[in-house]
Amino acid sequence: MRLRTPLALLGAALLVLVGPPLLTTGSGAESGTHIPGLRLMVPNTPGGGYDITARTAAKNAEDAGLTRSIEVFNLPGAGGTVGLTRLVNERGNGKLAMSMGLGVVGAVRSNDAPRTLADTTPIARLTEEQDVVVVAKDSPYQDIDDLIKAWKAAPGRLPVGGGSSPGGPDHLAPMLMAQAAGIAPKDVNYIPFDGGGELLASILGSKVAFGVSGVGEYRDQIEAGELRLLAVTGPERVPGLDAPTLKESGYDVEFTNWRGVVAPPGLTDTERGKLVRLLEALHDSKEWQESMKRNGWDDAFLTGDEFGAFLAAEDERVVSVLKELGL
């Protein structure tokens, strides 16, 4: 089974001015990227992929002179749907945006949320990244084959943790792994966490047998030797990390995650256009390009109506894969 999902780890910038707006050189005034009072919501806990992407984007936007002050705030809950509901209820608010990705698409389905991404204003898809399969440094599993062998012997006794709700990327990736390894997905003991930050403590404390999350979330811990990387889920190895892909290890899975930015419904064309211009300028900046390379993120930039069509297609894809997996 193979799933290839254009991913885009997400980037978003929130801008809160300390004083009255001064549209001067270096504030983004000349390019129309300066939005006084703009705020960016992260719909999960600090340390997760949405959070890292948003805070990286905010700093890069400041460093590139696209705006001056940036605030990022977290509103976690229910896999991102608490934040989504708040966003939709802020109809017409052109100074609010939300960092999101495939996890929110899945959470809407698994939580039967009253609001969906179809209720938002699509702004931009930013990044795509692979998931990583990791264990604690003192885990008995030295490579992916060790893990799969133990997992097949007792799938219910080897809990796998992920930083997304059922239907999200960190859930779909291990389910596809299980299917490729001959394990019935319904037998998998999946434990969801509200973002990669929450999941990390459980991996390090061996509360779960292994974890699945984005490469950018755990790269520092992998390089520091706190986590052992067993495999990556994408089509190619991640530069700088010593781990095979699942496919080259004999498990027919290719999977990537993506992240982007949406805004409340009811925006004027001018308000939407300013948000798009800000992210276009961020995307083109050397600061953002360097951050993508450092974090192992792939460029998957897409804006406006094309991003909206992509969101609709991703919703259909999640439903289709869940049905195919018998979940």
Side-chain angles (χ1 to χ4, degrees), residues 8-215:
L9 256 160
L10 152 85
L14 298 120
L15 322 165
V16 171
L17 291 180
V18 176
L22 303 174
L23 303 186
T24 58
T25 300
S27 69
E30 294 82 359
S31 60
T33 61
H34 182 67
I35 307 174
L38 176 66
R39 307 181 72 214
L40 180 67
M41 182 196 310
V42 176
N44 63 8
T45 54
Y50 301 153
D51 187 72
I52 292 171
T53 308
R55 294 182 190 279
T56 299
K59 184 178 187 307
N60 289 169
E62 286 185 342
D63 292 347
L66 303 178
T67 187
R68 287 186 304 279
S69 299
I70 300 175
E71 176 197 356
V72 179
F73 73 99
N74 298 78
L75 184 62
T81 58
V82 170
L84 176 62
T85 298
R86 161 75 179 275
L87 187 82
V88 174
N89 288 342
E90 293 274 347
R91 183 178 183 85
N93 184 352
K95 298 181 182 297
L96 178 66
M98 186 178 83
S99 168
M100 48 71 70
L102 179 58
V104 176
V105 178
V108 166
R109 288 293 178 179
S110 62
N111 293 310
D112 195 22
R115 303 294 188 180
T116 74
L117 290 166
D119 297 318
T120 70
T121 299
I123 302 300
R125 187 184 71 194
L126 293 175
T127 60
E128 182 180 33
E129 76 169 342
Q130 302 194 39
D131 267 357
V132 292
V133 182
V134 293
V135 296
K137 63 181 180 181
D138 56 354
S139 168
Y141 310 119
Q142 299 298 315
D143 56 37
I144 190 65
D145 289 328
D146 283 348
L147 173 64
I148 296 295
K149 181 179 179 180
W151 199 20
K152 289 180 71 172
R157 293 205 299 270
L158 265 70
V160 50
S164 58
S165 297
D170 299 349
H171 171 251
L172 293 177
M175 293 301 168
L176 291 166
M177 280 175 55
Q179 184 184 58
I183 301 169
K186 64 181 179 58
D187 292 336
V188 173
N189 181 9
Y190 176 77
I191 301 177
F193 293 83
D194 202 356
E198 278 193 2
L199 169 63
L200 179 60
S202 288
I203 300 173
L204 294 175
S206 299
K207 304 294 185 184
V208 295
F210 67 103
V212 177
S213 194
V215 60

